[in-house]
Amino acid sequence: AQSVTQPDIHITVSEGASLELRCNYSYGATPYLFWYVQSPGQGLQLLLKYFSGDTLVQGIKGFEAEFKRSQSSFNLRKPSVHWSDAAEYFCAVGGNQAGTALIFGKGTTLSVSS
Amino acid sequence: GAGVSQSPSNKVTEKGKDVELRCDPISGHTALYWYRQRLGQGLEFLIYFQGNSAPDKSGLPSDRFSAERTGESVSTLTIQRTQQEDSAVYLCASSLVGWGGTDTQYFGPGTRLTVL
């Protein structure tokens, strides 16, 4: 079955500390992977995406993610978290067939402490 | 340019009433998706439109849900005889050509539906 698992429901990180949000996927075809961020009252904003090539992808706001096929993972990282990063983060997987809807994880809520 | 817009931003309705939610995609985007986000859950796919092709309705949870799209413009999602379990945020997304995961979906701010 196709699915995305985000094992951590809620994470609290100190401002300035590093961050890693976990994402594991199960997908029967070549996966295309995404991370979205949702701030309160806002729509989803695309942080980064992986289609092919270099397995370490850079995104906006200083985020990066690494695709590890052997581990079926696509973890999101940031070296130094800012208070404005507090939000909900969603990992999603899609395929290369026409009209493939994205399959989302349940999200990880990030809180940033001062 | 303008992003995906949705209206209303909030809708409170009584159980049994019909509601209509609207989505304006990014101009030029041929693909349009509706998702539902229940509290504490990820997004659930509802329906997908691609140009003038027949929509993919495989995610609609019941026959109370329907959606229409006029050409490559506005879409409306209609929920008939609303139930309390329909309470959720309904998100619309559009993409340029809709060809699978390589085509980035851009999301609107959503409509928060509360069924009393």
Side-chain angles (χ1 to χ4, degrees), chain A residues 25-64:
Chain A
Y25 68 89
S26 174
Y27 201 74
T30 302
Y32 298 107
L33 295 153
F34 304 79
W35 275 99
Y36 284 87
V37 61
Q38 186 177 37
S39 298
Q42 303 293 314
L44 276 76
Q45 181 182 21
L46 180 67
L47 283 176
L48 49 77
K49 58 189 178 185
Y50 170 78
F51 292 157
S52 65
D54 192 347
T55 56
L56 183 65
V57 293
Q58 302 297 320
I60 62 171
K61 305 184 179 185
F63 285 92
E64 66 178 27

Side-chain angles (χ1 to χ4, degrees), chain A residues 17-29:
Chain A
S18 63
L19 170 70
E20 182 170 29
L21 301 183
R22 295 183 290 165
C23 173
N24 293 94
Y25 68 89
S26 174
Y27 201 74

Side-chain angles (χ1 to χ4, degrees), chain B residues 38-96:
Chain B
R38 290 171 162 169
L39 187 65
Q41 302 293 315
L43 276 70
E44 304 170 71
F45 165 72
L46 296 177
I47 188 168
Y48 157 74
F49 294 91
Q50 172 60 58
N52 294 318
S53 302
D56 176 358
K57 304 179 181 180
S58 60
L60 294 179
S62 78
D63 58 7
R64 296 186 296 104
F65 288 73
S66 63
E68 293 183 351
R69 187 183 186 194
T70 306
E72 295 182 355
S73 61
V74 172
S75 175
T76 55
L77 176 69
T78 301
I79 309 173
Q80 296 178 310
R81 305 180 303 281
T82 53
Q83 304 294 312
Q84 289 182 333
E85 61 262 29
D86 299 333
S87 296
V89 176
Y90 289 83
L91 289 160
C92 175
S94 71
S95 67
L96 190 58

Side-chain angles (χ1 to χ4, degrees), chain A residues 83-106:
Chain A
W83 65 266
S84 61
D85 294 325
E88 191 159 18
Y89 292 79
F90 292 94
C91 179
V93 65
N96 62 357
Q97 294 83 28
T100 303
L102 296 177
I103 300 168
F104 284 82
K106 293 185 177 181

